[in-house]
Amino acid sequence: MQKRRNKVAAACCNGYLYAIGGHESSTLNKSLVRHDDGERFDPKSNQWTLITSFSRPKENLGICAVNTNIYIVGGFDEKILNEMESYDIETNKWRKCPSLSSKRTGAHLIHVPNQIDRNLSQENQHSSTVNRFILA
């Protein structure tokens, strides 16, 4: 990877591995830098490429690949978020999606054909909430 990423979200889509968001910290400098972008790994060329930035730096995202889109939900940027965004791997563009009904970090997404089920939990809390999106 071109950037060091901790608490990164990762998903495979159309033969590529995507690493989205996360943060970089240094043992020498205790500051933390969150990322507002991602990287794509091409196993054929064995190379990482930066992809376009999303709305703002965040980490600990839920992630799921559906067809040629990658969805990220929730996350953390000094506060827990309720955002959802979609990345189109063919156009290299992000778009905002409807917000989650509650703020989440460390979400787990499961793709079921034509829908996404989200089993969402916050760090240090247990939740059995399952939400479903029907993708049009």
Side-chain angles (χ1 to χ4, degrees), residues 86-133:
S86 172
Y87 173 72
D88 185 324
I89 67 168
E90 294 177 339
T91 63
N92 192 33
K93 292 186 179 179
W94 288 95
R95 71 175 175 86
K96 287 279 208 178
C97 299
S99 295
L100 304 175
S101 58
S102 58
K103 297 176 181 183
R104 304 293 178 160
T105 185
H108 299 278
L109 301 177
I110 301 165
H111 172 232
V112 177
N114 300 320
Q115 62 195 19
I116 297 176
D117 286 355
R118 296 173 294 142
N119 182 355
L120 304 171
S121 63
Q122 295 179 349
E123 287 183 4
N124 302 322
Q125 281 187 306
H126 297 288
S127 173
S128 60
T129 304
V130 175
N131 300 87
R132 178 172 288 165
F133 285 112

Side-chain angles (χ1 to χ4, degrees), residues 1-127:
M1 278 194 261
Q2 297 180 25
K3 297 181 179 182
R4 292 169 41 173
R5 296 174 186 271
N6 188 10
K7 294 196 176 185
V8 63
C12 290
C13 190
N14 283 10
Y16 298 100
L17 173 64
Y18 290 83
I20 310 292
H23 74 262
E24 181 176 345
S25 60
S26 168
T27 55
L28 300 175
N29 180 357
K30 299 297 182 194
S31 66
L32 179 114
V33 177
R34 286 188 183 85
H35 299 300
D36 66 350
D37 60 12
E39 299 183 52
R40 180 183 74 190
F41 179 71
D42 181 346
K44 292 177 183 172
S45 67
N46 197 35
Q47 292 190 349
W48 287 94
T49 306
L50 284 172
I51 64 171
T52 193
S53 297
F54 45 88
S55 64
R56 62 180 158 158
K58 47 194 168 186
E59 62 182 277
N60 213 21
L61 302 160
I63 190 168
C64 185
V66 180
N67 301 320
T68 60
N69 290 290
I70 296 174
Y71 292 86
I72 56 172
V73 301
F76 184 79
D77 75 344
E78 295 301 322
K79 61 186 178 298
I80 298 172
L81 305 171
N82 68 340
E83 301 169 348
M84 181 174 174
E85 297 180 58
S86 172
Y87 173 72
D88 185 324
I89 67 168
E90 294 177 339
T91 63
N92 192 33
K93 292 186 179 179
W94 288 95
R95 71 175 175 86
K96 287 279 208 178
C97 299
S99 295
L100 304 175
S101 58
S102 58
K103 297 176 181 183
R104 304 293 178 160
T105 185
H108 299 278
L109 301 177
I110 301 165
H111 172 232
V112 177
N114 300 320
Q115 62 195 19
I116 297 176
D117 286 355
R118 296 173 294 142
N119 182 355
L120 304 171
S121 63
Q122 295 179 349
E123 287 183 4
N124 302 322
Q125 281 187 306
H126 297 288
S127 173

